[in-house]
């Protein structure tokens, strides 16, 4: 009984802290689908970027990543939301060579590439400027037949979220 009281007290303390910081119950329990790409500073001859992907599992969303240049995955942290059905993947990618390349975030619903949404980025790596990117307008994959063919040959949609 004492253990239950301690656990209950800790839960009340955590929820009170979240509410005092401006988080509402609906924000904590509503599944989220979102993406974010940021550049990370490095002290070596490589360049790094961080990618955070959130997928609403109630809608059967899954994220996939595709780049037209070889990049190395340095980190991959995955966790499911405590109070909501959101799967969060946090990646760190290392780019070793200079040049320009395309980077795609692919949001797939129900493992169906025909209805996938593409979030493209034009990436550029130079010694002078480092890693820079520009997010382009998102579009449906079925409007880009060449990319559709490449992704259908490359992605394994049976593996779940990548």
């Amino acid at each position: 009984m004492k253990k239950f009281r301690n656990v209950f007290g800790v839960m009340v303390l955590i929820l009170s802290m979240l509410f005092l910081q401006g988080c509402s119950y609906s924000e904590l329990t509503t599944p989220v689908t979102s993406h974010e790409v940021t550049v990370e500073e490095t002290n070596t001859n490589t360049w790094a970027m961080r990618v955070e992907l959130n997928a609403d599992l109630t809608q059967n969303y899954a994220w996939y990543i595709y780049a037209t240049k070889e990049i190395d995955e340095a980190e991959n942290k995955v966790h499911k939301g405590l109070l909501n059905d959101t799967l969060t993947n946090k990646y760190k990618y290392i780019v070793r060579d200079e040049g320009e390349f395309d980077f795609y975030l692919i949001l797939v619903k129900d493992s169906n590439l025909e209805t996938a949404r593409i979030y493209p980025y034009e990436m550029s790596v130079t010694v002078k400027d480092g890693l820079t990117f520009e997010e382009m307008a998102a579009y449906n994959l079925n409007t880009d037949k060449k990319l559709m063919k490449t992704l259908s040959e490359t992605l394994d949609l049976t593996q779940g979220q990548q």
Side-chain angles (χ1 to χ4, degrees):
M1 186 66 166
K2 185 176 180 181
K3 188 176 185 178
F4 175 73
R5 251 188 322 195
N6 289 342
V7 170
F8 181 74
V10 168
M11 295 273 292
V12 168
L13 181 65
I14 290 172
L15 288 174
S16 299
M17 192 169 49
L18 289 171
F19 289 127
L20 288 173
Q21 290 179 350
C23 294
S24 69
Y25 178 74
S26 64
E27 288 176 331
L28 293 173
T29 57
T30 303
V32 176
T33 300
S34 64
H35 66 283
E36 181 180 24
V37 177
T38 56
V39 174
E40 182 176 287
E41 297 295 322
T42 62
N43 296 328
T44 63
N45 292 337
T46 61
W47 299 271
M49 66 177 156
R50 294 226 174 245
V51 179
E52 181 173 332
L53 304 171
N54 297 305
D56 179 350
L57 298 177
T58 62
Q59 302 226 6
N60 295 322
Y61 283 131
W63 283 101
Y64 295 87
I65 295 172
Y66 177 73
T68 58
K69 179 180 192 167
E70 192 169 322
I71 57 177
D72 299 325
E73 185 179 300
E75 291 178 20
N76 182 0
K77 297 178 183 174
V78 179
H79 72 274
K80 186 172 182 279
L82 183 62
L83 301 175
N84 60 25
D85 285 331
T86 301
L87 185 65
T88 301
N89 283 49
K90 294 182 179 181
Y91 297 97
K92 178 179 178 181
Y93 288 103
I94 304 294
V95 181
R96 300 190 186 282
D97 302 320
E98 291 184 63
E100 295 181 355
F101 65 98
D102 294 322
F103 183 74
Y104 299 98
L105 300 176
I106 302 112
L107 181 61
V108 179
K109 184 174 182 174
D110 297 324
S111 298
N112 183 0
L113 268 182
E114 295 289 327
T115 60
R117 188 89 173 138
I118 302 297
Y119 298 88
Y121 292 82
E122 286 183 356
M123 310 294 267
S124 177
V125 180
T126 62
V127 172
K128 178 184 171 193
D129 297 327
L131 176 64
T132 59
F133 67 87
E134 181 181 353
E135 184 174 3
M136 307 307 286
Y139 60 91
N140 293 331
L141 181 58
N142 60 4
T143 62
D144 188 342
K145 300 300 181 192
K146 183 178 177 185
L147 184 59
M148 170 75 91
K149 183 178 185 311
T150 301
L151 293 177
S152 64
E153 294 170 354
T154 307
L155 297 180
D156 183 5
L157 299 178
T158 62
Q159 293 289 322
Q161 184 150 347
Q162 296 294 316

